[in-house]
């Protein structure tokens, strides 16, 4: 184990880096879609409650765990968690904190490469004069590797490697490089977001067309911000809100703990964690909700938005809409939109490299360059299949198992460790040591009881999702002593490919494609499992090495 002396250069840099870790593509792509699909204003209230009862407590837990482990010279979750309990199992549970980051960055960087290419195409005027359908085909052709762009075969793979290389280079400069990117990227991201949000707010009915005469940007804003208290009784909305909190705050990954491990012993973490969390919420709730949905509603109408809201809108719809503002402002808007997505992506992906680098530095004495390059090589080996086999679901498998399930499992286990094994009394002292604010004492109770229960409910809900996501019917069946049918999206159903089998039964004409999808989905899971087991093996070897070192 090395005596790591690296630390953050400034409090501002730390907060911006932590906020950049949390502020990612999900703030602008996933949040508005989740809000639309779960009732708009009916989603916001459960979302904010989940932020208070799960988001903030998890930030406190992860910042505290990170700083505590960093004091003893540990900068990645296997040995950060190991320092909090005498049980050897916790270092292996800490493997999630390295595994998740590598698996997520493998496909996350691919999305970053899309945003980079779309900035370039916007500047070159590639979308000028294209119809909605043509821009939609443009995206489909790109991600499915159909044809070549600029005469370069497999250009998406080339750009992916380039963007991953940029990440590796910045990581090789250490915390200082990450801090510089955060100080530049976060202000630009917010500036670009404000420009687009103001334009969206001021559209009104100015761009209603003959095809969509009732289009009004304010319909989108009103839909998102009109409270619907009935949603408080809908388990489906609560599950979606809790899932978005995980996704947006980057909790349950291991990157927050790693960043926090470089904080000085008595440096504040209470105010820092809250500031980073609320910065993320400002970007997500105020800016994330003010761009895609209002702008789309202003051109196409709220009914079109409700019917078509999805991840693809960012790349398949927005470029067309920006062109309707005229050539010059269309280019400005496109650069702002894809530029903010790029900065949101890279500030998050940089955080994903630090747990691996911290571990290799602590345990094997690897320097920044060697750690960054090795991280890039492993990420590349994991990521190339997500590019080549995107249309067969490789990307989706990574996102589900590493970017969703793994987060919930790890967050639940680390919360139990912090509140029940390390002990809430000791944990409370750790949170408040050097604090610049007074944390309400009710959070001690929330962190010990409410947060673990909510996390457990989220996991169980994902495990046993009822058919059609009909939680009201499932609860009624359960209380009557009857079993209910599981949805193909339930974790248990996913394990046996029930979602693909259902699609196969409904669309037998797509049999060849769906059989390939099942094959590549299984291959992706095997690759993820091998990655996890490989990291377990490295952690085991490091523990043997530590033991020998202590005896010599």
């Amino acid at each position: 184990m090395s005596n790591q002396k690296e630390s953050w250069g400034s409090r501002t840099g730390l907060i911006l880096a932590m906020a950049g870790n949390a502020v990612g593509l999900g703030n602008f792509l996933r949040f508005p879609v989740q809000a639309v699909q779960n009732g708009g204003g009916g989603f916001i209230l459960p979302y904010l409650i989940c932020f208070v009862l799960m988001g903030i407590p998890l930030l406190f837990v992860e910042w505290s765990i990170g700083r505590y482990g960093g004091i003893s010279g540990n900068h990645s979750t296997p040995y950060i968690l190991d320092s909090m309990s005498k049980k050897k199992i916790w270092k292996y549970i800490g493997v999630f904190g390295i595994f998740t980051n590598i698996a997520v960055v493998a496909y996350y960087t691919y999305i970053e490469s899309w945003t980079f290419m779309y900035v370039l195409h916007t500047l070159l005027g590639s979308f000028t004069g294209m119809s909605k359908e043509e821009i939609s085909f443009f995206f489909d052709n790109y991600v499915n590797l159909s044809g070549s762009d600029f005469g370069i075969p497999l250009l998406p793979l080339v750009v992916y490697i380039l963007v991953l290389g940029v990440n590796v280079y910045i990581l090789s400069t250490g915390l200082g490089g990450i801090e510089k990117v955060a100080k530049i990227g976060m202000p630009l991201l917010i500036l670009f977001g404000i420009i687009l949000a103001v334009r969206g707010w001021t559209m009104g009915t100015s761009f209603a067309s003959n095809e969509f005469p009732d289009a009004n940007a304010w319909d989108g804003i009103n839909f998102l911000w009109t409270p619907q208290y009935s949603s408080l009784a809908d388990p489906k909305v609560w599950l979606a809100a809790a899932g978005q909190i995980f996704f947006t705050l980057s909790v349950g990954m291991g990157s927050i703990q790693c960043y926090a491990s470089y904080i000085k012993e008595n440096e504040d973490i209470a105010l820092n964690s809250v500031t980073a969390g609320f910065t993320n919420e400002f970007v997500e709730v105020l800016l994330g909700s003010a761009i895609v949905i209002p702008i789309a509603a202003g051109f196409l109408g709220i009914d079109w938005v409700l019917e078509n809201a999805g991840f693809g809108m960012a790349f398949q719809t927005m470029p067309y809409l920006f062109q309707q503002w005229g050539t010059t402002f269309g280019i400005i808007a496109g650069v702002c939109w894809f530029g903010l997505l790029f900065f949101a992506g890279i500030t998050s992906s940089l955080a994903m490299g630090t747990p691996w680098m911290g571990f290799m530095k602590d345990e094997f004495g690897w320097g920044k360059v060697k750690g960054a390059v090795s991280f890039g090589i492993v990420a590349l080996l994991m990521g190339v299949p997500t590019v080549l086999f995107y249309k067969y679901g490789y990307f989706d498998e990574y996102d589900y198992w590493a970017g969703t399930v793994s987060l919930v499992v790890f967050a639940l286990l680390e919360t139990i460790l912090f509140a029940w094994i390390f002990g809430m009394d000791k944990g409370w002292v750790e949170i408040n040591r050097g604090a610049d604010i007074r944390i309400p004492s009710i959070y001690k109770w929330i962190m010990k009881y409410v947060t673990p229960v909510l996390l457990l409910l989220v996991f169980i809900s994902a495990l046993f999702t009822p058919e059609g996501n009909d939680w009201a019917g499932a609860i009624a069946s359960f209380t009557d002593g009857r079993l209910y049918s599981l949805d193909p999206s339930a974790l248990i159903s996913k394990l046996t490919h029930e979602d693909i089998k259902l699609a196969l039964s409904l669309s037998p004409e797509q049999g060849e494609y769906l059989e390939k999808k099942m094959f590549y989905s299984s291959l992706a899971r095997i690759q993820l499992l091998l990655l996890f087991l490989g990291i377990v093996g490295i952690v085991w070897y490091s523990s043997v090495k530590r033991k020998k070192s202590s005896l010599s």
Side-chain angles (χ1 to χ4, degrees):
M1 183 178 68
S2 97
N3 293 319
Q4 178 63 266
K5 299 297 183 183
E6 190 175 15
S7 62
W8 296 100
S10 67
R11 183 171 189 169
T12 300
L14 166 63
I15 291 173
L16 287 176
M18 279 288 198
N21 171 39
V23 174
L25 297 167
N27 295 71
F28 301 97
L29 303 184
R30 193 176 191 273
F31 174 76
V33 172
Q34 287 292 310
V36 168
Q37 293 177 345
N38 290 281
F43 175 79
I44 296 295
L45 196 55
Y47 169 84
L48 294 176
I49 292 173
C50 284
F51 174 65
V52 172
L53 297 181
M54 277 195 352
I56 292 178
L58 281 170
L59 288 173
F60 286 151
V61 167
E62 296 200 347
W63 279 69
S64 301
I65 287 176
R67 186 181 65 177
Y68 183 85
I71 292 171
S72 54
N74 298 305
H75 302 91
S76 61
T77 51
Y79 286 104
I80 288 176
L81 267 58
D82 185 65
S83 68
M84 303 182 71
S85 171
K86 295 179 180 179
K87 300 290 185 181
K88 295 181 181 179
I89 186 64
W90 288 104
K91 71 167 64 73
Y92 296 107
I93 289 173
V95 166
F96 279 104
I98 298 177
F99 160 79
T100 300
N101 286 282
I102 294 176
V104 170
V105 83
Y107 70 87
Y108 196 86
T109 314
Y110 187 32
I111 307 177
E112 281 178 41
S113 72
W114 302 349
T115 66
F116 175 81
M117 283 302 295
Y118 268 67
V119 169
L120 182 60
H121 278 295
T122 299
L123 290 170
L124 294 175
S126 301
F127 303 123
T128 303
M130 280 190 177
S131 66
K132 290 196 302 290
E133 291 74 19
E134 288 172 331
I135 290 178
S136 180
F137 289 145
F138 181 94
F139 176 75
D140 289 338
N141 288 337
Y142 186 82
V143 298
N144 292 321
L145 309 181
S146 301
S148 63
D149 204 348
F150 300 121
I152 303 174
L154 291 180
L155 180 68
L157 181 60
V158 174
V159 179
Y160 167 74
I161 294 172
L162 173 65
V163 172
L164 181 59
V166 171
N167 278 269
V168 169
Y169 170 74
I170 297 171
L171 284 168
S172 71
T173 63
L175 295 183
I178 295 172
E179 195 170 335
K180 287 178 183 177
V181 171
K183 286 182 176 179
I184 295 171
M186 285 301 295
L188 280 176
L189 182 157
I190 293 172
L191 174 63
F192 290 164
I194 289 174
I195 291 172
L196 291 171
V198 170
R199 192 69 185 97
W201 290 333
T202 57
M203 280 177 62
T205 59
S206 304
F207 293 91
S209 62
N210 292 332
E211 187 180 0
F212 300 101
D214 297 325
N216 187 338
W218 277 96
D219 286 343
I221 296 171
N222 289 334
F223 175 76
L224 290 174
W225 287 102
T226 301
Q228 298 177 26
Y229 298 104
S230 60
S231 66
L232 295 175
D234 188 344
K236 171 179 171 289
V237 177
W238 281 97
L239 182 59
Q244 180 60 25
I245 288 297
F246 272 100
F247 199 91
T248 189
L249 293 177
S250 296
V251 291
M253 288 191 69
S255 50
I256 290 177
Q257 297 92 321
C258 181
Y259 271 10
S261 69
Y262 294 97
I263 296 175
K264 297 179 177 66
E265 183 173 354
N266 290 310
E267 188 174 347
D268 166 80
I269 58 172
L271 180 59
N272 285 354
S273 59
V274 170
T275 302
F278 274 95
T279 299
N280 175 78
E281 293 308 296
F282 165 78
V283 172
E284 176 155 292
V285 176
L286 293 184
L287 298 184
S289 66
I291 299 176
V292 175
I293 303 307
I295 291 175
F299 281 110
L300 306 173
I302 189 64
D303 291 336
W304 185 94
V305 173
L306 295 178
E307 185 176 344
N308 295 279
F311 177 81
M313 283 179 63
F315 300 94
Q316 294 171 291
T317 305
M318 299 303 284
Y320 169 76
L321 300 183
F322 294 149
Q323 301 309 309
Q324 312 313 304
W325 280 332
T327 302
T328 302
F329 194 75
I331 291 175
I332 293 173
V335 170
C336 285
W337 174 239
F338 295 112
L340 76 84
L341 290 181
F342 179 77
F343 284 124
I346 199 167
T347 52
S348 294
S349 60
L350 288 173
M352 298 176 201
T354 51
W356 168 270
M357 291 177 62
F359 178 81
M360 300 310 287
K361 172 65 176 175
D362 290 349
E363 306 309 317
F364 303 103
W366 287 16
K368 299 172 187 175
V369 174
K370 191 174 182 179
V373 170
S374 61
F375 170 76
I377 291 172
V378 176
L380 182 64
L381 292 174
M382 293 295 298
V384 166
T386 70
V387 180
L388 298 179
F389 309 120
Y390 175 87
K391 64 181 178 181
Y392 295 120
Y394 227 97
F395 180 107
D396 297 329
E397 288 294 322
Y398 278 32
D399 185 48
Y400 181 74
W401 296 105
T404 305
V405 176
S406 180
L407 304 188
V408 178
V409 171
F410 186 45
L412 173 60
L413 293 174
E414 69 175 350
T415 303
I416 292 172
L417 169 65
F418 183 81
W420 290 91
I421 297 175
F422 182 70
M424 196 60 241
D425 289 337
K426 289 171 62 178
W428 191 248
V429 171
E430 185 63 30
I431 294 171
N432 286 280
R433 182 156 48 82
D436 292 334
I437 59 171
R438 182 180 178 84
I439 303 172
S441 56
I442 191 173
Y443 264 104
K444 186 175 181 181
W445 180 80
I446 290 173
M447 293 167 69
K448 186 170 184 177
Y449 299 104
V450 179
T451 304
V453 169
L454 288 176
L455 290 169
L456 185 60
L457 288 175
V458 168
F459 179 67
I460 292 174
S461 298
L463 201 63
F464 303 108
T465 307
E467 188 172 10
N469 227 349
D470 180 17
W471 280 103
I475 293 172
S477 297
F478 191 75
T479 53
D480 289 341
R482 294 180 289 111
L483 296 176
Y484 61 82
S485 299
L486 294 177
D487 193 81
S489 66
L491 197 158
I492 290 179
S493 300
K494 281 270 192 180
L495 284 170
T496 55
H497 294 298
E498 292 302 320
D499 51 342
I500 300 178
K501 291 176 182 177
L502 177 62
L504 187 59
S505 66
L506 295 176
S507 304
E509 70 279 4
Q510 291 188 316
E512 183 179 354
Y513 163 74
L514 291 171
E515 286 175 4
K516 284 186 176 180
K517 185 174 181 179
M518 192 178 299
F519 169 77
Y520 283 112
S521 294
S522 299
L523 198 61
R525 295 177 187 183
I526 292 171
Q527 195 168 354
L528 289 171
L529 180 60
L530 290 175
L531 173 65
F532 189 88
L533 293 177
I535 299 172
V536 168
I538 296 172
V539 171
W540 172 82
Y541 177 73
S542 70
S543 67
V544 172
K545 186 170 173 290
R546 279 193 173 204
K547 188 174 181 179
K548 288 181 179 178
S549 178
S550 65
L551 294 175
S552 62

